[in-house]
Coordinates of all heavy atoms in Angstrom, one line a residue:
L644 N 112.4 21.4 251.3 CA 113.5 22.3 251.6 C 114.0 22.1 253.0 O 115.2 22.1 253.3 CB 113.0 23.7 251.4 CG 112.7 24.2 250.0 CD1 112.1 25.6 249.9 CD2 114.1 24.3 249.2
W645 N 113.0 21.8 253.9 CA 113.4 21.5 255.3 C 114.3 20.3 255.4 O 115.3 20.2 256.0 CB 112.2 21.4 256.2 CG 112.4 20.9 257.6 CD1 112.3 19.6 258.0 CD2 112.9 21.6 258.7 NE1 112.6 19.5 259.3 CE2 113.0 20.7 259.8 CE3 113.3 23.0 258.9 CZ2 113.5 21.1 261.0 CZ3 113.7 23.3 260.1 CH2 113.8 22.4 261.2
E646 N 113.8 19.2 254.7 CA 114.5 18.0 254.7 C 115.9 18.1 254.0 O 116.9 17.4 254.4 CB 113.7 16.9 254.0 CG 112.5 16.5 254.7 CD 111.7 15.4 253.9 OE1 112.1 15.1 252.8 OE2 110.7 14.9 254.5
T647 N 116.0 19.0 253.1 CA 117.3 19.3 252.4 C 118.3 19.9 253.5 O 119.5 19.5 253.6 CB 117.2 20.2 251.2 OG1 116.4 19.6 250.2 CG2 118.6 20.6 250.7
G648 N 117.8 20.8 254.3 CA 118.6 21.4 255.3 C 119.1 20.4 256.3 O 120.3 20.4 256.7
V649 N 118.2 19.5 256.7 CA 118.5 18.5 257.7 C 119.6 17.5 257.1 O 120.6 17.1 257.7 CB 117.3 17.7 258.1 CG1 117.7 16.5 259.0 CG2 116.3 18.6 258.9
S650 N 119.4 17.2 255.8 CA 120.3 16.3 255.1 C 121.7 16.9 255.0 O 122.7 16.3 255.1 CB 119.8 15.9 253.7 OG 120.7 15.1 253.0
F651 N 121.7 18.2 254.7 CA 123.0 18.9 254.6 C 123.8 18.9 255.9 O 125.0 18.9 256.0 CB 122.8 20.4 254.2 CG 122.6 20.5 252.7 CD1 122.4 19.4 251.9 CD2 122.6 21.8 252.1 CE1 122.3 19.6 250.5 CE2 122.4 22.0 250.7 CZ 122.2 20.8 249.9
L652 N 123.0 18.9 257.0 CA 123.6 18.9 258.4 C 124.1 17.6 258.8 O 125.1 17.4 259.5 CB 122.7 19.5 259.4 CG 122.4 21.0 259.3 CD1 121.2 21.4 260.2 CD2 123.7 21.8 259.8
I653 N 123.4 16.5 258.4 CA 123.7 15.2 259.0 C 123.6 14.0 258.0 O 124.1 12.9 258.3 CB 122.8 14.9 260.2 CG1 123.4 13.8 261.1 CG2 121.4 14.6 259.8 CD1 124.7 14.2 261.7
G654 N 123.0 14.2 256.8 CA 122.8 13.1 255.9 C 121.5 12.4 256.1 O 120.6 12.9 256.7
E655 N 121.4 11.2 255.5 CA 120.2 10.4 255.6 C 120.1 9.7 256.9 O 121.0 9.0 257.3 CB 120.1 9.3 254.5 CG 120.1 10.0 253.1 CD 119.0 9.4 252.2 OE1 117.9 9.1 252.7 OE2 119.3 9.2 251.0
T656 N 118.9 9.9 257.6 CA 118.8 9.3 258.9 C 117.5 8.5 259.1 O 117.1 8.3 260.2 CB 118.8 10.4 260.0 OG1 117.8 11.4 259.7 CG2 120.2 11.1 259.9
G657 N 116.7 8.3 258.1 CA 115.5 7.5 258.2 C 115.7 6.1 258.6 O 116.8 5.5 258.5
H658 N 114.6 5.4 258.9 CA 114.7 4.0 259.2 C 115.2 3.2 258.0 O 115.9 2.2 258.1 CB 113.3 3.4 259.6 CG 112.9 3.8 261.0 ND1 113.5 3.3 262.1 CD2 112.0 4.7 261.5 CE1 113.0 3.8 263.2 NE2 112.1 4.6 262.9
V659 N 114.7 3.6 256.8 CA 115.1 3.0 255.6 C 115.5 4.1 254.7 O 114.9 5.2 254.7 CB 114.0 2.1 255.0 CG1 114.4 1.5 253.6 CG2 113.6 1.0 255.9
I660 N 116.4 3.9 253.8 CA 116.9 4.9 252.9 C 115.7 5.5 252.1 O 114.7 4.8 251.8 CB 117.9 4.4 251.9 CG1 118.6 5.6 251.1 CG2 117.4 3.4 251.0 CD1 119.8 5.2 250.4
A661 N 115.7 6.8 251.9 CA 114.6 7.5 251.1 C 113.4 7.9 252.0 O 112.5 8.5 251.6 CB 114.1 6.8 249.9
E662 N 113.5 7.5 253.3 CA 112.5 8.0 254.3 C 112.8 9.4 254.8 O 113.9 9.9 254.6 CB 112.3 7.0 255.4 CG 111.6 5.7 255.1 CD 111.2 4.9 256.3 OE1 111.7 5.3 257.4 OE2 110.5 4.0 256.2
A663 N 111.8 10.0 255.4 CA 112.0 11.3 256.0 C 113.1 11.2 257.1 O 113.2 10.2 257.8 CB 110.7 11.8 256.6
P664 N 113.9 12.3 257.2 CA 115.0 12.3 258.2 C 114.6 12.4 259.6 O 113.5 12.9 259.9 CB 115.9 13.4 257.7 CG 114.9 14.4 257.1 CD 113.9 13.5 256.4
R665 N 115.4 12.0 260.5 CA 115.2 12.3 261.9 C 115.9 13.6 262.3 O 117.2 13.6 262.4 CB 115.7 11.1 262.8 CG 115.0 9.8 262.4 CD 115.6 8.7 263.3 NE 115.0 7.4 263.0 CZ 115.4 6.3 263.5 NH1 116.4 6.3 264.4 NH2 114.8 5.1 263.2
E666 N 115.2 14.6 262.6 CA 115.8 15.9 262.8 C 116.7 16.0 264.0 O 117.6 16.8 264.1 CB 114.7 17.0 262.9 CG 114.0 17.3 261.6 CD 112.8 16.3 261.4 OE1 112.7 15.4 262.2 OE2 112.0 16.6 260.5
R667 N 116.4 15.1 265.0 CA 117.2 15.2 266.3 C 118.7 15.0 266.1 O 119.5 15.5 266.8 CB 116.6 14.3 267.3 CG 116.8 12.8 267.0 CD 116.2 11.9 268.1 NE 116.3 10.5 267.9 CZ 115.4 9.8 267.2 NH1 114.4 10.4 266.7 NH2 115.6 8.5 267.0
Y668 N 119.0 14.2 265.1 CA 120.5 13.9 264.8 C 121.2 15.2 264.3 O 122.4 15.3 264.4 CB 120.6 12.8 263.8 CG 120.3 11.4 264.3 CD1 119.3 10.7 263.7 CD2 120.9 10.9 265.4 CE1 118.9 9.4 264.2 CE2 120.6 9.6 265.9 CZ 119.6 8.9 265.3 OH 119.2 7.7 265.7
A669 N 120.4 16.1 263.7 CA 121.0 17.3 263.2 C 121.1 18.5 264.2 O 121.6 19.5 263.9 CB 120.2 17.8 262.0
L670 N 120.7 18.2 265.4 CA 120.6 19.3 266.4 C 122.0 19.8 266.8 O 122.3 21.0 266.8 CB 119.9 18.8 267.7 CG 119.8 19.8 268.8 CD1 119.0 21.0 268.3 CD2 119.1 19.2 270.0
V671 N 123.0 18.9 267.0 CA 124.3 19.3 267.4 C 125.0 20.1 266.3 O 125.5 21.2 266.5 CB 125.2 18.1 267.8 CG1 126.6 18.5 268.0 CG2 124.6 17.5 269.1
P672 N 125.0 19.6 265.0 CA 125.6 20.4 263.9 C 124.9 21.7 263.7 O 125.5 22.7 263.4 CB 125.4 19.5 262.7 CG 125.3 18.1 263.2 CD 124.6 18.3 264.5
A673 N 123.6 21.8 263.9 CA 122.8 23.0 263.8 C 123.3 24.1 264.8 O 123.5 25.2 264.5 CB 121.3 22.8 263.9
I674 N 123.5 23.6 266.0 CA 124.0 24.5 267.1 C 125.4 25.1 266.7 O 125.6 26.3 266.8 CB 124.0 23.8 268.4 CG1 122.5 23.5 268.9 CG2 124.7 24.7 269.5 CD1 122.5 22.7 270.1
I675 N 126.3 24.2 266.3 CA 127.6 24.6 265.9 C 127.6 25.6 264.7 O 128.4 26.5 264.7 CB 128.5 23.4 265.7 CG1 128.6 22.6 267.0 CG2 129.9 23.8 265.3 CD1 129.4 21.3 266.9
V676 N 126.8 25.2 263.7 CA 126.7 26.1 262.5 C 126.2 27.5 262.9 O 126.7 28.5 262.5 CB 125.8 25.4 261.5 CG1 125.4 26.4 260.4 CG2 126.5 24.2 260.9
G677 N 125.2 27.5 263.8 CA 124.7 28.8 264.3 C 125.7 29.6 265.0 O 125.9 30.8 264.9
A678 N 126.6 28.9 265.8 CA 127.7 29.5 266.5 C 128.7 30.1 265.6 O 129.2 31.2 265.8 CB 128.3 28.6 267.5
A679 N 128.9 29.4 264.5 CA 129.9 29.8 263.5 C 129.4 31.1 262.8 O 130.2 32.1 262.6 CB 130.1 28.8 262.4
L680 N 128.1 31.2 262.5 CA 127.5 32.4 261.9 C 127.6 33.6 262.9 O 127.9 34.7 262.5 CB 126.1 32.2 261.5 CG 125.8 31.1 260.4 CD1 124.4 30.9 260.2 CD2 126.5 31.5 259.1
I681 N 127.4 33.3 264.2 CA 127.5 34.4 265.2 C 129.0 34.9 265.3 O 129.2 36.1 265.4 CB 127.0 33.9 266.5 CG1 125.5 33.7 266.5 CG2 127.3 34.9 267.6 CD1 124.9 33.0 267.7
L682 N 129.9 33.9 265.3 CA 131.3 34.3 265.4 C 131.8 35.2 264.2 O 132.5 36.2 264.4 CB 132.2 33.0 265.4 CG 132.2 32.3 266.8 CD1 132.9 30.9 266.6 CD2 132.8 33.1 267.9
V683 N 131.4 34.8 263.0 CA 131.8 35.6 261.9 C 131.1 37.0 261.9 O 131.7 38.0 261.4 CB 131.6 34.9 260.5 CG1 130.1 34.8 260.2 CG2 132.4 35.5 259.4
A684 N 129.9 37.1 262.4 CA 129.2 38.3 262.4 C 129.7 39.3 263.5 O 129.8 40.5 263.2 CB 127.7 38.1 262.6
L685 N 130.1 38.7 264.6 CA 130.5 39.6 265.8 C 132.0 39.7 265.9 O 132.5 40.8 266.3 CB 129.9 39.0 267.1 CG 128.4 38.9 267.2 CD1 128.0 38.3 268.5 CD2 127.8 40.2 266.9
R686 N 132.7 38.7 265.5 CA 134.2 38.7 265.7 C 135.0 38.7 264.4 O 136.2 38.7 264.5 CB 134.6 37.6 266.6 CG 134.0 37.6 268.0 CD 134.6 36.6 268.9 NE 134.1 36.6 270.2 CZ 134.5 35.8 271.3 NH1 135.5 35.0 271.0 NH2 133.9 35.9 272.4

């Protein structure tokens, strides 16, 4: 489930396809997605 969330944010990022993703590539999209949720909740 965690890997699915990372994949939804950035796609496949392993050394070879079908490997576990590298979460660091999903950090920027995760921050922007979190900001979007805050914006719709507050504004």
